[in-house]
Amino acid sequence: MLRLADLIAPFENSGVADSIRENDLLFPLIESVHVLSICLVVGSILVVDLRLLGLASTNQPVSRVTRAILPLTWSAFVVAVASGSLMFISNATKYLGNGYFVAKLLLIGAAGVNMAVFHAVSARDLPRWDNESAPPLRARLVGGLSIFLWIAVVACGRWVGFTMPVG
Ligand code: HEM
């Protein structure tokens, strides 16, 4: 039976992972890129969520806000996953043993499901409430839950660094 450890070993033992582990500058550089990209991911999602909650950009249709913002969100998300994966392979076994790291990935998954449910269900009748300053309750619930989940992702992401075994 293939174990997760067998799946990650080739990545953790790769030349790229070695270089990140050995070089004092590479990890902080990659983490800086990670922090910048997650600022864009979470910041842009917050703009959409605050519109869904009827707390900001209420003079703009919901569809216009999402259309303008989501390409930026997705591009920054790709950079966050790429930079995060590079840091991850440099110490994969220890990260998988870190509860905050695992919780962070699960919360990112939950935030994705929340947004998918919004697009599959709530957004079906969007034209009916697109221009309303206060969207219907289910759209506001999606926005509120999204904000809660992304704050939890960021908190877990930060706690990883405090709870990794030294050496
Ligand atoms: C868009 C989603 C993501 C968000 C919001 C996020 C958030 C964070 C935050 C806040 C930190 C702490 C940065 C610091 O304080 O220096 C962090 C670090 C980290 N993230 Fe992410 N992250 C995301 C995606 C990912 C993914 C997909 C992976 C891996 C597959 C990942 C792997 C890591 C690693 C390995 C660290 C370094 C932890 C350490 O300090 O040792 N992240 N992330």
Side-chain angles (χ1 to χ4, degrees):
M1 219 306 272
L2 201 60
R3 296 171 314 133
L4 190 54
D6 304 327
L7 273 178
I8 59 168
F11 297 100
E12 191 162 18
N13 304 329
S14 67
V16 175
D18 262 350
S19 322
I20 298 171
R21 267 191 300 272
E22 310 299 327
N23 182 312
D24 292 342
L25 268 183
L26 264 183
F27 190 96
L29 212 62
I30 297 169
E31 185 147 35
S32 306
V33 172
H34 194 62
V35 170
L36 282 172
S37 61
I38 59 176
C39 290
L40 281 175
V41 170
V42 179
S44 59
I45 287 174
L46 213 58
V47 172
V48 175
D49 292 341
L50 290 173
R51 177 62 186 92
L52 287 178
L53 283 164
L55 294 176
S57 320
T58 50
N59 59 345
Q60 300 283 332
V62 172
S63 57
R64 188 183 295 163
V65 175
T66 49
R67 233 188 352 264
I69 294 273
L70 288 186
L72 171 72
T73 309
W74 279 113
S75 325
F77 188 76
V78 169
V79 178
V81 172
S83 54
S85 304
L86 284 174
M87 291 190 288
F88 170 72
I89 62 170
S90 74
N91 221 343
T93 308
K94 285 190 183 151
Y95 281 123
L96 285 178
N98 183 298
Y100 291 103
F101 181 79
V102 176
K104 177 179 133 181
L105 294 187
L106 293 174
L107 288 162
I108 293 172
V113 170
N114 183 41
M115 205 33 77
V117 168
F118 169 72
H119 287 286
V121 179
S122 310
R124 223 182 270 153
D125 65 342
L126 177 58
R128 191 176 57 71
W129 49 272
D130 197 13
N131 294 298
E132 286 179 21
S133 57
L137 179 62
R138 57 194 148 73
R140 280 179 272 151
L141 286 176
V142 167
L145 179 59
S146 171
I147 292 178
F148 169 78
L149 288 170
W150 284 107
I151 290 173
V153 169
V154 169
C156 286
R158 186 64 280 228
W159 246 261
V160 172
F162 291 129
T163 54
M164 284 293 280
V166 181

